[in-house]
Amino acid sequence: MSKLHVETIINGEPVEFLCEPHTSLLDALRNEVGLTGTKEGCATGDCGACSVTLDGRLVCSCLVVAAEVAGHEVTTVEGVAEAEQLHPVQQKLLEHAGLQCGICTPGFVVAAKALLDRTPDPSETEVRYWLAGNLCRCTGYDKIVRAVLDAAAELRA
Amino acid sequence: MQRSFERPQTLEQAIGLLEKHGDAARPLAGGTDLLVQMRAGLLRPAVLVDLKGIEELMSLELGADEVVIGAAHSTASLRENADLVALFPGLLEAAELIGSEQIQGRASLGGNLCNGSPAADTGPALAVVQAVCEIAGPNGRRTLPVAEFLTGPGATALGVGEILVSLRISRPPARAADAYLRFIPRTEMDIAVVGAGAWVRLEADGSCAEARLSLGAVGPTVLPVALDALVGGPIDDAALATAGEAASAAARPIDDKRGTIAYRRQVSGVLARRALRIAADRAAQRS
Ligand SMILES: Cc1cc2nc3c(=O)[nH]c(=O)nc-3n(C[C@H](O)[C@H](O)[C@H](O)COP(=O)(O)OP(=O)(O)OC[C@H]3O[C@@H](n4cnc5c(N)ncnc54)[C@H](O)[C@@H]3O)c2cc1C
Ligand code: FES
Ligand code: FES
């Protein structure tokens, strides 16, 4: 079967990869591009572990066809920190112990950053609703929510 | 058949691809139903025809008389249009209930309708604002009211090669507004036990000029509930009780893990009353 050649921008850098016509963006990121920070929890849109942004919009990469991103811009968890400098969302997750096993964490980081990029001062309710598509089986969510609110405060400071 | 991914730039190209490949091809909007079904092995289309490169399906026009919503426009971006939210708060309430933020980044109204789920949230909301489906296909264009577009569980009026292009909705007249409520066992990320779309137009004296109600998830497709009894009178507790009884009587639910028949009938009445109340209050504010 002939593979598709996809040219796109990932985390600000031009990237090219080959993939099957119906491969998901999640699989292409992990297996073709070598960016394994984006995780698969369910592959059906329910868990949010695969969250990335596509042209700035938060989406589940398991429900995007890799070929669709040709000519568009993708940001993954690998694009959140600036070099060695963690983004406040990442730093606060560490400080608040907002992760245990960590499989959900990349999705929460990408989703929370997408929220704070457009809503710098969210209420707790807004944070909880925005993150409703991200499942975590370890932390009980509370520490994650507090970390995101704290990161928002730091970003505003 | 060899798999492929197609991104037509025009409707003609898309229709041509769907006609050529027949059952082997499938239109792709946000993919939040289609890709899940493909992963589950329920559907195995060889050719995916991505509709998001076609301008008309991605557009949003707030015209003087009519609002035209491109069928593949994501609900997240619809919600960001404050004028649209102000015009049709009920429709946007329904759109906002679809899945998570991530799902709404992709989910479209067209996909929600074309998937044909009896529990789809925007069906009742679109029905009460009398949205019209603009369809393009091998034989040209045609239009159908949403209620006729949805023909049964998983079924629509679309023929081979046909594409839902847009939803056309007349601007609400004076003193008219919509509302949508759904009941699920938790506050996010579940499928409707019952959904209720309501639309009310008031006379200048506050009495009911027109009332429309449509129920989701309690029938094979969106169920309209006749509310003629309300016309001419005040929208008070007695009128709402009458409407609730009509809704419970009209509901034709099934028993499943989300609720029994009796339960869903009861919830239909409760949501009908509440949604009509909200629509009437909104309509009153538009005097
Ligand atoms: C986690 C999760 C939660 C969800 N929660 C809800 C919910 O709360 N409420 C709800 O109603 N739905 C829900 N859904 C279902 C889904 O997100 C919606 O139905 C959504 O609106 C589908 O739109 P889409 O653009 O993704 O459609 P797609 O998946 O792209 O398409 C759906 C179907 O319609 C066809 N199609 C799409 N567009 C057109 C067109 N313009 N012309 C012709 N055919 C077309 C496709 O071929 C496919 O068969 C959920 C899904 C997931 C994964
Ligand atoms: S892996 Fe994509 S939502 Fe779970
Ligand atoms: S830390 Fe384990 S699932 Fe969230």
Side-chain angles (χ1 to χ4, degrees), chain A residues 98-105 108 135-139 144:
Chain A
L99 63 151
Q100 289 176 30
C101 80
I103 189 154
C104 69
T105 313
F108 273 100
L135 300 185
C136 174
R137 299 292 81 167
C138 303
T139 64
I144 296 175

Side-chain angles (χ1 to χ4, degrees), chain A residues 26 39-51 60-63 133, chain B residues 39 103:
Chain A
L26 172 63
K39 304 300 180 199
E40 175 175 305
C42 64
T44 52
D46 292 288
C47 78
C50 66
S51 297
C60 294
S61 61
C62 70
L63 298 185
Chain B
R39 208 137 298 153
I103 297 302

Side-chain angles (χ1 to χ4, degrees), chain A residues 59-124:
Chain A
V59 300
C60 294
S61 61
C62 70
L63 298 185
V64 174
V65 180
E68 285 185 59
V69 307
H72 295 270
E73 284 193 39
V74 179
T75 304
T76 69
V77 68
E78 288 91 345
V80 173
E82 301 215 5
E84 298 294 296
Q85 183 69 38
L86 291 182
H87 185 277
V89 165
Q90 294 169 308
Q91 187 60 41
K92 294 298 176 189
L93 279 167
L94 284 175
E95 289 172 16
H96 286 265
L99 63 151
Q100 289 176 30
C101 80
I103 189 154
C104 69
T105 313
F108 273 100
V109 167
V110 170
K113 179 174 181 294
L115 169 65
L116 301 186
D117 284 348
R118 64 192 70 206
T119 312
D121 193 7
S123 65
E124 177 177 336

Side-chain angles (χ1 to χ4, degrees), chain A residues 22 51 57 62 68 134, chain B residues 4 39 52 80 102 106:
Chain A
H22 297 184
S51 297
R57 206 169 277 295
C62 70
E68 285 185 59
N134 292 82
Chain B
S4 72
R39 208 137 298 153
K52 296 189 293 299
E80 286 164 8
Q102 285 88 335
R106 303 268 293 168

